[in-house]
Amino acid sequence: MSHKKVFPAKLEGSVKVPGDKSISQRVAMLASLAEGTSKVTGYLNGEDARSTLSAMEQMGAKAEFRDDALYITGVAGKLQSPAEPLDMGNSGTGTRLLAGLVAGAGLEVSMIGDESLSSRPMGRIRQPLELMGAHIGLTGKRGTLPMMIAGGKLKGTGYLLPMASAQVKSCVLLAGLFADGKTTVIEPRPTRDHTEKLFQALGIPIQINGLEISIEGFGQEGPRFKARNFVVPGDFSSAAFWIVAIAARPGAELVLENVGLNPRRTALLDVMERMGADLEITLTEKQGDPYGTIKVRGARLHGTVIEGDEIPNLIDELPVIAVAAALAEGKTEIRDAAELRVKESDRIAEVVKNLQLFGVEVEELDDGMIISGPTDLKTPAVAINSHDDHRIAMSVAILNSFSDGPITIENVSCVDTSYPEFWQHMEQLGGQVE
Ligand code: S3P
């Protein structure tokens, strides 16, 4: 079992975070469907992005890493049936989005994944895909993987998403590419819109009207669009660990360049500013999925309330926001975040348990938590298990940089799913890791 010993440290400086995981996986799928060869720069060299790319290769796309770029040659709308099950590893995004694609393409495919992915709910994609005419078998115990998909001849449909989920929204839109007629999804709250932005960049006809998104299907023959070049910006969710590590440390400074700044991803910046952080944001690229530079200066933070529409916009950052809350003066309330319970682990239970091990006063809620600070952190006497959840492992490492002794974090290989350079960057910023 992999583990790391992490020491308290003052972190500061600058790092270049790896490519965005959500965008990388969508680019892998769409470039694989395109006609011709796409050059992709900044593709995430992490396990989730690699398992999605391998799945596309199993269905006929060609991928080659050359001179710091990834070249993907697509199948011009005609995916082939894979000879083996698609092993999606730890990737919820890969699984749910690809399910839409293969259901649309009319292939018979089975999908499997690791222990964490095999415990995550897939009924949420079965429902809309079956409404469109696909057959989805979930052979796990509770509507979970392994999943068998038999699709084809889909009909466009209208679907009101029961939860705010960019993965379910994107699954339906990707299936809609192959449907007859128009497919419309309506989201209850705004979620990340990378799929929509990529459709627009590729000239795929999509209409966006507030929370209602429609696509005119190309039918069973599959979508026809040309390859293009893609630039994947740095992952804001990876940058978030350093933003919090510095924002909560008076006197420290950090610069992060080429970080994705899609407004549907960056509510952490608003939260940190409300908590008293000193941030400076400069947009380098405004078109498509925007990116730019984030400068953070540490300050004394104070508590805030995080709820409602803000939640989907910072859902992946909540474990590290809890770290900021533990160090901030007063109460921080996180509500409306029950989706956290079905991420790579039950992130409400794991965050609450870990904070308590560091002596933080925290109350668990069904849909969030209330954290009281500031806490004089105590180093736990026991090792902390990530439960195969990359963001739990990394947020504990950040939390411990503020404590008074070393801790051991067990099961850290999951960090490679989104941020393989994390430990190296921690050392580059002045941290000590063994
Ligand atoms: C993602 C959407 C979010 C997020 C996940 C990546 C995506 O999940 O938590 O890490 O790439 O669309 P949900 O859409 O299930 O909320």
mmCIF file of all heavy atoms in Angstrom, residues 21 90 92-93 96 114-122 124 163-168 191-192 311-312 314-319 337-348 350 387-392:
data_model
loop_
_atom_site.group_PDB
_atom_site.id
_atom_site.type_symbol
_atom_site.label_atom_id
_atom_site.label_comp_id
_atom_site.label_asym_id
_atom_site.label_seq_id
_atom_site.Cartn_x
_atom_site.Cartn_y
_atom_site.Cartn_z
ATOM 1 N N LYS A 21 -8.693 18.100 -15.595
ATOM 2 C CA LYS A 21 -9.138 16.712 -15.754
ATOM 3 C C LYS A 21 -10.455 16.640 -16.521
ATOM 4 O O LYS A 21 -10.617 15.808 -17.415
ATOM 5 C CB LYS A 21 -9.286 16.092 -14.348
ATOM 6 C CG LYS A 21 -9.713 14.653 -14.325
ATOM 7 C CD LYS A 21 -9.228 13.966 -13.075
ATOM 8 C CE LYS A 21 -10.081 14.195 -11.851
ATOM 9 N NZ LYS A 21 -11.261 13.311 -11.806
ATOM 10 N N ASN A 90 -10.646 4.907 -12.025
ATOM 11 C CA ASN A 90 -11.285 5.663 -10.936
ATOM 12 C C ASN A 90 -12.209 6.758 -11.486
ATOM 13 O O ASN A 90 -12.775 7.540 -10.733
ATOM 14 C CB ASN A 90 -10.147 6.292 -10.092
ATOM 15 C CG ASN A 90 -10.623 6.921 -8.802
ATOM 16 O OD1 ASN A 90 -10.665 8.147 -8.674
ATOM 17 N ND2 ASN A 90 -10.982 6.105 -7.838
ATOM 18 N N GLY A 92 -15.132 8.764 -12.719
ATOM 19 C CA GLY A 92 -16.583 8.950 -12.806
ATOM 20 C C GLY A 92 -16.941 9.731 -14.060
ATOM 21 O O GLY A 92 -17.916 9.421 -14.753
ATOM 22 N N THR A 93 -16.167 10.753 -14.386
ATOM 23 C CA THR A 93 -16.447 11.561 -15.588
ATOM 24 C C THR A 93 -16.307 10.696 -16.833
ATOM 25 O O THR A 93 -17.192 10.692 -17.705
ATOM 26 C CB THR A 93 -15.460 12.755 -15.666
ATOM 27 O OG1 THR A 93 -15.630 13.559 -14.503
ATOM 28 C CG2 THR A 93 -15.698 13.596 -16.899
ATOM 29 N N ARG A 96 -19.350 8.143 -16.969
ATOM 30 C CA ARG A 96 -20.705 8.655 -17.228
ATOM 31 C C ARG A 96 -20.785 9.311 -18.602
ATOM 32 O O ARG A 96 -21.780 9.155 -19.309
ATOM 33 C CB ARG A 96 -21.104 9.615 -16.105
ATOM 34 C CG ARG A 96 -21.215 8.883 -14.755
ATOM 35 C CD ARG A 96 -21.875 9.752 -13.707
ATOM 36 N NE ARG A 96 -22.082 9.014 -12.456
ATOM 37 C CZ ARG A 96 -21.508 9.345 -11.306
ATOM 38 N NH1 ARG A 96 -20.704 10.390 -11.226
ATOM 39 N NH2 ARG A 96 -21.755 8.640 -10.214
ATOM 40 N N ASP A 114 -12.448 0.677 -10.680
ATOM 41 C CA ASP A 114 -11.836 0.261 -9.410
ATOM 42 C C ASP A 114 -12.886 0.241 -8.290
ATOM 43 O O ASP A 114 -14.072 0.501 -8.526
ATOM 44 C CB ASP A 114 -10.618 1.146 -9.087
ATOM 45 C CG ASP A 114 -10.992 2.575 -8.693
ATOM 46 O OD1 ASP A 114 -12.194 2.866 -8.527
ATOM 47 O OD2 ASP A 114 -10.069 3.404 -8.543
ATOM 48 N N GLU A 115 -12.432 -0.041 -7.073
ATOM 49 C CA GLU A 115 -13.380 -0.228 -5.969
ATOM 50 C C GLU A 115 -14.191 1.049 -5.705
ATOM 51 O O GLU A 115 -15.409 1.002 -5.512
ATOM 52 C CB GLU A 115 -12.573 -0.619 -4.724
ATOM 53 C CG GLU A 115 -13.396 -1.301 -3.677
ATOM 54 C CD GLU A 115 -12.547 -1.635 -2.453
ATOM 55 O OE1 GLU A 115 -11.387 -2.058 -2.627
ATOM 56 O OE2 GLU A 115 -13.061 -1.443 -1.337
ATOM 57 N N SER A 116 -13.508 2.194 -5.719
ATOM 58 C CA SER A 116 -14.204 3.457 -5.448
ATOM 59 C C SER A 116 -15.230 3.744 -6.554
ATOM 60 O O SER A 116 -16.408 4.017 -6.271
ATOM 61 C CB SER A 116 -13.155 4.581 -5.334
ATOM 62 O OG SER A 116 -13.655 5.821 -5.727
ATOM 63 N N LEU A 117 -14.837 3.616 -7.816
ATOM 64 C CA LEU A 117 -15.768 3.877 -8.924
ATOM 65 C C LEU A 117 -16.924 2.868 -8.905
ATOM 66 O O LEU A 117 -18.063 3.222 -9.229
ATOM 67 C CB LEU A 117 -15.005 3.811 -10.259
ATOM 68 C CG LEU A 117 -15.806 4.148 -11.517
ATOM 69 C CD1 LEU A 117 -16.414 5.548 -11.463
ATOM 70 C CD2 LEU A 117 -14.937 4.022 -12.763
ATOM 71 N N SER A 118 -16.623 1.639 -8.463
ATOM 72 C CA SER A 118 -17.663 0.600 -8.456
ATOM 73 C C SER A 118 -18.666 0.793 -7.327
ATOM 74 O O SER A 118 -19.614 0.017 -7.198
ATOM 75 C CB SER A 118 -17.021 -0.786 -8.325
ATOM 76 O OG SER A 118 -16.145 -0.987 -9.404
ATOM 77 N N SER A 119 -18.452 1.819 -6.496
ATOM 78 C CA SER A 119 -19.458 2.072 -5.450
ATOM 79 C C SER A 119 -20.266 3.330 -5.792
ATOM 80 O O SER A 119 -21.130 3.742 -5.027
ATOM 81 C CB SER A 119 -18.765 2.248 -4.092
ATOM 82 O OG SER A 119 -18.050 3.467 -4.108
ATOM 83 N N ARG A 120 -20.025 3.936 -6.946
ATOM 84 C CA ARG A 120 -20.687 5.212 -7.244
ATOM 85 C C ARG A 120 -21.957 5.011 -8.066
ATOM 86 O O ARG A 120 -22.032 4.134 -8.923
ATOM 87 C CB ARG A 120 -19.701 6.139 -7.961
ATOM 88 C CG ARG A 120 -18.498 6.387 -7.068
ATOM 89 C CD ARG A 120 -17.542 7.373 -7.636
ATOM 90 N NE ARG A 120 -18.161 8.676 -7.803
ATOM 91 C CZ ARG A 120 -17.562 9.694 -8.425
ATOM 92 N NH1 ARG A 120 -16.368 9.524 -8.941
ATOM 93 N NH2 ARG A 120 -18.164 10.858 -8.516
ATOM 94 N N PRO A 121 -22.990 5.840 -7.793
ATOM 95 C CA PRO A 121 -24.302 5.612 -8.423
ATOM 96 C C PRO A 121 -24.303 5.858 -9.930
ATOM 97 O O PRO A 121 -23.845 6.898 -10.388
ATOM 98 C CB PRO A 121 -25.203 6.645 -7.727
ATOM 99 C CG PRO A 121 -24.291 7.694 -7.190
ATOM 100 C CD PRO A 121 -22.985 6.998 -6.888
ATOM 101 N N MET A 122 -24.817 4.900 -10.688
ATOM 102 C CA MET A 122 -24.901 5.012 -12.151
ATOM 103 C C MET A 122 -26.365 5.053 -12.608
ATOM 104 O O MET A 122 -26.640 5.276 -13.785
ATOM 105 C CB MET A 122 -24.165 3.845 -12.823
ATOM 106 C CG MET A 122 -22.663 3.862 -12.590
ATOM 107 S SD MET A 122 -21.888 5.323 -13.304
ATOM 108 C CE MET A 122 -20.420 5.482 -12.275
ATOM 109 N N ARG A 124 -28.297 7.300 -12.173
ATOM 110 C CA ARG A 124 -28.541 8.673 -12.637
ATOM 111 C C ARG A 124 -28.297 8.848 -14.138
ATOM 112 O O ARG A 124 -28.833 9.778 -14.732
ATOM 113 C CB ARG A 124 -27.699 9.663 -11.824
ATOM 114 C CG ARG A 124 -26.222 9.344 -11.809
ATOM 115 C CD ARG A 124 -25.395 10.338 -11.005
ATOM 116 N NE ARG A 124 -25.781 10.430 -9.605
ATOM 117 C CZ ARG A 124 -25.427 11.416 -8.796
ATOM 118 N NH1 ARG A 124 -24.669 12.386 -9.237
ATOM 119 N NH2 ARG A 124 -25.821 11.435 -7.540
ATOM 120 N N MET A 163 -30.661 16.173 -10.305
ATOM 121 C CA MET A 163 -29.613 16.748 -9.450
ATOM 122 C C MET A 163 -28.707 17.624 -10.321
ATOM 123 O O MET A 163 -28.682 17.458 -11.542
ATOM 124 C CB MET A 163 -28.795 15.642 -8.749
ATOM 125 C CG MET A 163 -27.806 14.889 -9.590
ATOM 126 S SD MET A 163 -28.501 13.767 -10.817
ATOM 127 C CE MET A 163 -29.090 12.442 -9.792
ATOM 128 N N ALA A 164 -27.998 18.555 -9.678
ATOM 129 C CA ALA A 164 -27.078 19.399 -10.453
ATOM 130 C C ALA A 164 -25.846 18.569 -10.738
ATOM 131 O O ALA A 164 -25.028 18.340 -9.851
ATOM 132 C CB ALA A 164 -26.719 20.647 -9.653
ATOM 133 N N SER A 165 -25.711 18.075 -11.966
ATOM 134 C CA SER A 165 -24.568 17.228 -12.303
ATOM 135 C C SER A 165 -24.120 17.458 -13.736
ATOM 136 O O SER A 165 -24.856 17.169 -14.684
ATOM 137 C CB SER A 165 -24.930 15.750 -12.102
ATOM 138 O OG SER A 165 -23.963 14.940 -12.743
ATOM 139 N N ALA A 166 -22.908 17.973 -13.878
ATOM 140 C CA ALA A 166 -22.345 18.192 -15.214
ATOM 141 C C ALA A 166 -22.098 16.868 -15.907
ATOM 142 O O ALA A 166 -22.140 16.784 -17.138
ATOM 143 C CB ALA A 166 -21.048 18.976 -15.107
ATOM 144 N N GLN A 167 -21.847 15.824 -15.129
ATOM 145 C CA GLN A 167 -21.592 14.512 -15.738
ATOM 146 C C GLN A 167 -22.865 13.978 -16.377
ATOM 147 O O GLN A 167 -22.839 13.464 -17.505
ATOM 148 C CB GLN A 167 -21.051 13.530 -14.700
ATOM 149 C CG GLN A 167 -19.652 13.911 -14.221
ATOM 150 C CD GLN A 167 -19.093 12.969 -13.183
ATOM 151 O OE1 GLN A 167 -19.808 12.092 -12.682
ATOM 152 N NE2 GLN A 167 -17.837 13.150 -12.842
ATOM 153 N N VAL A 168 -23.992 14.082 -15.677
ATOM 154 C CA VAL A 168 -25.245 13.572 -16.240
ATOM 155 C C VAL A 168 -25.663 14.445 -17.425
ATOM 156 O O VAL A 168 -26.048 13.944 -18.488
ATOM 157 C CB VAL A 168 -26.348 13.491 -15.161
ATOM 158 C CG1 VAL A 168 -27.637 12.952 -15.770
ATOM 159 C CG2 VAL A 168 -25.899 12.607 -13.994
ATOM 160 N N THR A 191 -24.083 24.137 -13.750
ATOM 161 C CA THR A 191 -22.904 23.303 -13.476
ATOM 162 C C THR A 191 -21.856 23.585 -14.556
ATOM 163 O O THR A 191 -22.145 24.254 -15.547
ATOM 164 C CB THR A 191 -23.240 21.800 -13.506
ATOM 165 O OG1 THR A 191 -23.615 21.450 -14.847
ATOM 166 C CG2 THR A 191 -24.358 21.440 -12.541
ATOM 167 N N ARG A 192 -20.671 23.013 -14.401
ATOM 168 C CA ARG A 192 -19.576 23.290 -15.335
ATOM 169 C C ARG A 192 -20.021 23.033 -16.774
ATOM 170 O O ARG A 192 -20.722 22.046 -17.046
ATOM 171 C CB ARG A 192 -18.321 22.487 -14.964
ATOM 172 C CG ARG A 192 -18.461 21.004 -15.073
ATOM 173 C CD ARG A 192 -17.249 20.290 -14.484
ATOM 174 N NE ARG A 192 -17.199 20.456 -13.032
ATOM 175 C CZ ARG A 192 -16.168 20.135 -12.253
ATOM 176 N NH1 ARG A 192 -15.083 19.634 -12.799
ATOM 177 N NH2 ARG A 192 -16.215 20.313 -10.960
ATOM 178 N N ILE A 311 -22.674 25.840 -4.726
ATOM 179 C CA ILE A 311 -22.159 24.489 -4.435
ATOM 180 C C ILE A 311 -21.625 23.747 -5.681
ATOM 181 O O ILE A 311 -20.478 23.306 -5.666
ATOM 182 C CB ILE A 311 -23.207 23.654 -3.654
ATOM 183 C CG1 ILE A 311 -23.421 24.255 -2.250
ATOM 184 C CG2 ILE A 311 -22.820 22.174 -3.569
ATOM 185 C CD1 ILE A 311 -22.225 24.202 -1.313
ATOM 186 N N PRO A 312 -22.408 23.637 -6.783
ATOM 187 C CA PRO A 312 -21.843 22.894 -7.926
ATOM 188 C C PRO A 312 -20.577 23.554 -8.479
ATOM 189 O O PRO A 312 -19.735 22.890 -9.079
ATOM 190 C CB PRO A 312 -22.953 22.949 -8.988
ATOM 191 C CG PRO A 312 -24.191 23.334 -8.267
ATOM 192 C CD PRO A 312 -23.792 24.087 -7.044
ATOM 193 N N LEU A 314 -18.150 24.753 -6.806
ATOM 194 C CA LEU A 314 -16.943 24.498 -6.003
ATOM 195 C C LEU A 314 -16.993 23.120 -5.365
ATOM 196 O O LEU A 314 -16.290 22.847 -4.393
ATOM 197 C CB LEU A 314 -16.747 25.589 -4.917
ATOM 198 C CG LEU A 314 -17.936 26.042 -4.098
ATOM 199 C CD1 LEU A 314 -18.490 24.961 -3.219
ATOM 200 C CD2 LEU A 314 -17.588 27.240 -3.249
ATOM 201 N N ILE A 315 -17.816 22.228 -5.971
ATOM 202 C CA ILE A 315 -18.076 20.930 -5.348
ATOM 203 C C ILE A 315 -16.775 20.160 -5.073
ATOM 204 O O ILE A 315 -16.610 19.569 -4.007
ATOM 205 C CB ILE A 315 -19.087 20.099 -6.188
ATOM 206 C CG1 ILE A 315 -19.528 18.856 -5.442
ATOM 207 C CG2 ILE A 315 -18.554 19.748 -7.576
ATOM 208 C CD1 ILE A 315 -20.555 19.088 -4.406
ATOM 209 N N ASP A 316 -15.826 20.200 -6.016
ATOM 210 C CA ASP A 316 -14.593 19.420 -5.834
ATOM 211 C C ASP A 316 -13.620 20.101 -4.874
ATOM 212 O O ASP A 316 -12.650 19.484 -4.424
ATOM 213 C CB ASP A 316 -13.907 19.193 -7.188
ATOM 214 C CG ASP A 316 -14.712 18.256 -8.074
ATOM 215 O OD1 ASP A 316 -15.601 17.561 -7.551
ATOM 216 O OD2 ASP A 316 -14.468 18.219 -9.294
ATOM 217 N N GLU A 317 -13.861 21.375 -4.573
ATOM 218 C CA GLU A 317 -12.957 22.119 -3.691
ATOM 219 C C GLU A 317 -13.392 22.043 -2.222
ATOM 220 O O GLU A 317 -12.666 22.509 -1.337
ATOM 221 C CB GLU A 317 -12.902 23.600 -4.118
ATOM 222 C CG GLU A 317 -12.124 23.859 -5.383
ATOM 223 C CD GLU A 317 -12.694 23.186 -6.616
ATOM 224 O OE1 GLU A 317 -13.683 23.661 -7.179
ATOM 225 O OE2 GLU A 317 -12.137 22.132 -7.014
ATOM 226 N N LEU A 318 -14.571 21.481 -1.944
ATOM 227 C CA LEU A 318 -15.066 21.538 -0.559
ATOM 228 C C LEU A 318 -14.134 20.865 0.465
ATOM 229 O O LEU A 318 -13.961 21.387 1.559
ATOM 230 C CB LEU A 318 -16.508 21.020 -0.470
ATOM 231 C CG LEU A 318 -17.514 22.063 -1.006
ATOM 232 C CD1 LEU A 318 -18.882 21.436 -1.243
ATOM 233 C CD2 LEU A 318 -17.652 23.262 -0.070
ATOM 234 N N PRO A 319 -13.474 19.729 0.116
ATOM 235 C CA PRO A 319 -12.559 19.162 1.128
ATOM 236 C C PRO A 319 -11.445 20.140 1.523
ATOM 237 O O PRO A 319 -11.080 20.225 2.698
ATOM 238 C CB PRO A 319 -11.978 17.921 0.429
ATOM 239 C CG PRO A 319 -13.032 17.525 -0.556
ATOM 240 C CD PRO A 319 -13.639 18.823 -1.039
ATOM 241 N N ALA A 337 -24.870 20.318 -0.019
ATOM 242 C CA ALA A 337 -23.759 19.625 -0.682
ATOM 243 C C ALA A 337 -23.836 18.107 -0.484
ATOM 244 O O ALA A 337 -22.815 17.434 -0.392
ATOM 245 C CB ALA A 337 -22.436 20.177 -0.178
ATOM 246 N N ALA A 338 -25.081 17.546 -0.459
ATOM 247 C CA ALA A 338 -25.229 16.102 -0.250
ATOM 248 C C ALA A 338 -24.520 15.296 -1.351
ATOM 249 O O ALA A 338 -24.127 14.146 -1.134
ATOM 250 C CB ALA A 338 -26.709 15.730 -0.196
ATOM 251 N N GLU A 339 -24.336 15.892 -2.543
ATOM 252 C CA GLU A 339 -23.621 15.193 -3.630
ATOM 253 C C GLU A 339 -22.219 14.756 -3.203
ATOM 254 O O GLU A 339 -21.654 13.812 -3.752
ATOM 255 C CB GLU A 339 -23.514 16.102 -4.862
ATOM 256 C CG GLU A 339 -24.736 16.078 -5.756
ATOM 257 C CD GLU A 339 -24.909 14.742 -6.472
ATOM 258 O OE1 GLU A 339 -23.996 14.301 -7.153
ATOM 259 O OE2 GLU A 339 -25.986 14.136 -6.322
ATOM 260 N N LEU A 340 -21.665 15.447 -2.211
ATOM 261 C CA LEU A 340 -20.333 15.077 -1.717
ATOM 262 C C LEU A 340 -20.283 13.645 -1.205
ATOM 263 O O LEU A 340 -19.229 13.035 -1.147
ATOM 264 C CB LEU A 340 -19.922 15.991 -0.556
ATOM 265 C CG LEU A 340 -19.400 17.385 -0.873
ATOM 266 C CD1 LEU A 340 -19.001 18.077 0.411
ATOM 267 C CD2 LEU A 340 -18.200 17.287 -1.811
ATOM 268 N N ARG A 341 -21.461 13.121 -0.812
ATOM 269 C CA ARG A 341 -21.486 11.763 -0.235
ATOM 270 C C ARG A 341 -21.297 10.688 -1.298
ATOM 271 O O ARG A 341 -21.053 9.542 -0.963
ATOM 272 C CB ARG A 341 -22.795 11.534 0.525
ATOM 273 C CG ARG A 341 -22.907 12.430 1.764
ATOM 274 C CD ARG A 341 -23.815 11.818 2.800
ATOM 275 N NE ARG A 341 -23.968 12.659 3.970
ATOM 276 C CZ ARG A 341 -23.199 12.567 5.062
ATOM 277 N NH1 ARG A 341 -22.239 11.666 5.125
ATOM 278 N NH2 ARG A 341 -23.404 13.363 6.087
ATOM 279 N N VAL A 342 -21.445 11.066 -2.597
ATOM 280 C CA VAL A 342 -21.294 10.054 -3.649
ATOM 281 C C VAL A 342 -20.135 10.388 -4.589
ATOM 282 O O VAL A 342 -20.167 10.062 -5.778
ATOM 283 C CB VAL A 342 -22.612 9.832 -4.439
ATOM 284 C CG1 VAL A 342 -23.631 9.126 -3.572
ATOM 285 C CG2 VAL A 342 -23.199 11.143 -4.969
ATOM 286 N N LYS A 343 -19.121 11.041 -4.072
ATOM 287 C CA LYS A 343 -17.905 11.304 -4.855
ATOM 288 C C LYS A 343 -16.969 10.095 -4.700
ATOM 289 O O LYS A 343 -17.403 9.015 -4.333
ATOM 290 C CB LYS A 343 -17.260 12.612 -4.394
ATOM 291 C CG LYS A 343 -18.112 13.832 -4.709
ATOM 292 C CD LYS A 343 -18.253 14.039 -6.195
ATOM 293 C CE LYS A 343 -19.172 15.197 -6.536
ATOM 294 N NZ LYS A 343 -19.467 15.263 -7.955
ATOM 295 N N GLU A 344 -15.672 10.288 -4.950
ATOM 296 C CA GLU A 344 -14.729 9.166 -4.897
ATOM 297 C C GLU A 344 -14.772 8.471 -3.538
ATOM 298 O O GLU A 344 -14.398 7.303 -3.396
ATOM 299 C CB GLU A 344 -13.315 9.638 -5.239
ATOM 300 C CG GLU A 344 -13.086 9.931 -6.729
ATOM 301 C CD GLU A 344 -13.553 11.302 -7.194
ATOM 302 O OE1 GLU A 344 -14.524 11.867 -6.619
ATOM 303 O OE2 GLU A 344 -12.957 11.830 -8.156
ATOM 304 N N SER A 345 -15.170 9.222 -2.493
ATOM 305 C CA SER A 345 -15.522 8.622 -1.189
ATOM 306 C C SER A 345 -16.696 9.444 -0.669
ATOM 307 O O SER A 345 -17.100 10.419 -1.307
ATOM 308 C CB SER A 345 -14.337 8.719 -0.222
ATOM 309 O OG SER A 345 -14.103 10.070 0.144
ATOM 310 N N ASP A 346 -17.239 9.090 0.490
ATOM 311 C CA ASP A 346 -18.244 9.946 1.141
ATOM 312 C C ASP A 346 -17.465 11.106 1.750
ATOM 313 O O ASP A 346 -16.923 11.015 2.848
ATOM 314 C CB ASP A 346 -18.991 9.139 2.213
ATOM 315 C CG ASP A 346 -19.977 10.014 3.000
ATOM 316 O OD1 ASP A 346 -19.864 11.259 2.946
ATOM 317 O OD2 ASP A 346 -20.845 9.434 3.676
ATOM 318 N N ARG A 347 -17.371 12.197 0.990
ATOM 319 C CA ARG A 347 -16.471 13.288 1.398
ATOM 320 C C ARG A 347 -16.960 14.056 2.621
ATOM 321 O O ARG A 347 -16.166 14.735 3.265
ATOM 322 C CB ARG A 347 -16.227 14.235 0.217
ATOM 323 C CG ARG A 347 -15.321 13.609 -0.821
ATOM 324 C CD ARG A 347 -14.941 14.574 -1.923
ATOM 325 N NE ARG A 347 -13.998 13.912 -2.826
ATOM 326 C CZ ARG A 347 -13.780 14.270 -4.082
ATOM 327 N NH1 ARG A 347 -14.437 15.292 -4.601
ATOM 328 N NH2 ARG A 347 -12.902 13.621 -4.828
ATOM 329 N N ILE A 348 -18.266 13.980 2.928
ATOM 330 C CA ILE A 348 -18.706 14.641 4.162
ATOM 331 C C ILE A 348 -18.165 13.842 5.344
ATOM 332 O O ILE A 348 -17.498 14.373 6.235
ATOM 333 C CB ILE A 348 -20.250 14.774 4.209
ATOM 334 C CG1 ILE A 348 -20.701 15.723 3.092
ATOM 335 C CG2 ILE A 348 -20.695 15.266 5.591
ATOM 336 C CD1 ILE A 348 -22.192 15.970 3.021
ATOM 337 N N GLU A 350 -15.697 11.642 5.465
ATOM 338 C CA GLU A 350 -14.222 11.593 5.528
ATOM 339 C C GLU A 350 -13.641 12.916 6.027
ATOM 340 O O GLU A 350 -12.725 12.923 6.847
ATOM 341 C CB GLU A 350 -13.632 11.252 4.148
ATOM 342 C CG GLU A 350 -13.905 9.825 3.687
ATOM 343 C CD GLU A 350 -13.452 8.774 4.696
ATOM 344 O OE1 GLU A 350 -12.352 8.900 5.243
ATOM 345 O OE2 GLU A 350 -14.230 7.841 4.929
ATOM 346 N N HIS A 387 -8.873 6.458 1.601
ATOM 347 C CA HIS A 387 -9.973 5.673 1.021
ATOM 348 C C HIS A 387 -10.059 5.851 -0.485
ATOM 349 O O HIS A 387 -11.142 6.034 -1.053
ATOM 350 C CB HIS A 387 -11.298 5.988 1.719
ATOM 351 C CG HIS A 387 -11.303 5.500 3.143
ATOM 352 N ND1 HIS A 387 -11.439 4.180 3.478
ATOM 353 C CD2 HIS A 387 -11.092 6.158 4.288
ATOM 354 C CE1 HIS A 387 -11.338 4.046 4.776
ATOM 355 N NE2 HIS A 387 -11.122 5.235 5.302
ATOM 356 N N ASP A 388 -8.885 5.842 -1.140
ATOM 357 C CA ASP A 388 -8.815 5.924 -2.610
ATOM 358 C C ASP A 388 -9.388 7.223 -3.154
ATOM 359 O O ASP A 388 -9.844 7.254 -4.300
ATOM 360 C CB ASP A 388 -9.575 4.750 -3.273
ATOM 361 C CG ASP A 388 -8.781 3.474 -3.194
ATOM 362 O OD1 ASP A 388 -7.538 3.563 -3.089
ATOM 363 O OD2 ASP A 388 -9.400 2.391 -3.222
ATOM 364 N N ASP A 389 -9.396 8.255 -2.366
ATOM 365 C CA ASP A 389 -9.945 9.531 -2.820
ATOM 366 C C ASP A 389 -8.823 10.562 -2.886
ATOM 367 O O ASP A 389 -8.317 11.027 -1.860
ATOM 368 C CB ASP A 389 -11.060 9.988 -1.873
ATOM 369 C CG ASP A 389 -11.760 11.237 -2.391
ATOM 370 O OD1 ASP A 389 -11.140 11.999 -3.157
ATOM 371 O OD2 ASP A 389 -12.932 11.447 -2.011
ATOM 372 N N HIS A 390 -8.443 10.919 -4.127
ATOM 373 C CA HIS A 390 -7.309 11.843 -4.340
ATOM 374 C C HIS A 390 -7.477 13.162 -3.593
ATOM 375 O O HIS A 390 -6.533 13.673 -2.995
ATOM 376 C CB HIS A 390 -7.110 12.083 -5.844
ATOM 377 C CG HIS A 390 -8.324 12.557 -6.598
ATOM 378 N ND1 HIS A 390 -8.274 13.527 -7.558
ATOM 379 C CD2 HIS A 390 -9.640 12.198 -6.526
ATOM 380 C CE1 HIS A 390 -9.480 13.735 -8.059
ATOM 381 N NE2 HIS A 390 -10.324 12.935 -7.446
ATOM 382 N N ARG A 391 -8.712 13.709 -3.624
ATOM 383 C CA ARG A 391 -8.876 15.028 -2.999
ATOM 384 C C ARG A 391 -8.847 14.949 -1.477
ATOM 385 O O ARG A 391 -8.495 15.911 -0.801
ATOM 386 C CB ARG A 391 -10.148 15.701 -3.496
ATOM 387 C CG ARG A 391 -10.120 15.911 -5.003
ATOM 388 C CD ARG A 391 -11.090 16.972 -5.477
ATOM 389 N NE ARG A 391 -11.410 16.777 -6.886
ATOM 390 C CZ ARG A 391 -10.618 17.102 -7.909
ATOM 391 N NH1 ARG A 391 -9.450 17.651 -7.686
ATOM 392 N NH2 ARG A 391 -10.997 16.880 -9.151
ATOM 393 N N ILE A 392 -9.199 13.809 -0.917
ATOM 394 C CA ILE A 392 -9.071 13.631 0.540
ATOM 395 C C ILE A 392 -7.582 13.565 0.884
ATOM 396 O O ILE A 392 -7.110 14.252 1.806
ATOM 397 C CB ILE A 392 -9.816 12.359 1.017
ATOM 398 C CG1 ILE A 392 -11.329 12.530 0.832
ATOM 399 C CG2 ILE A 392 -9.470 12.015 2.470
ATOM 400 C CD1 ILE A 392 -12.001 13.603 1.677
#
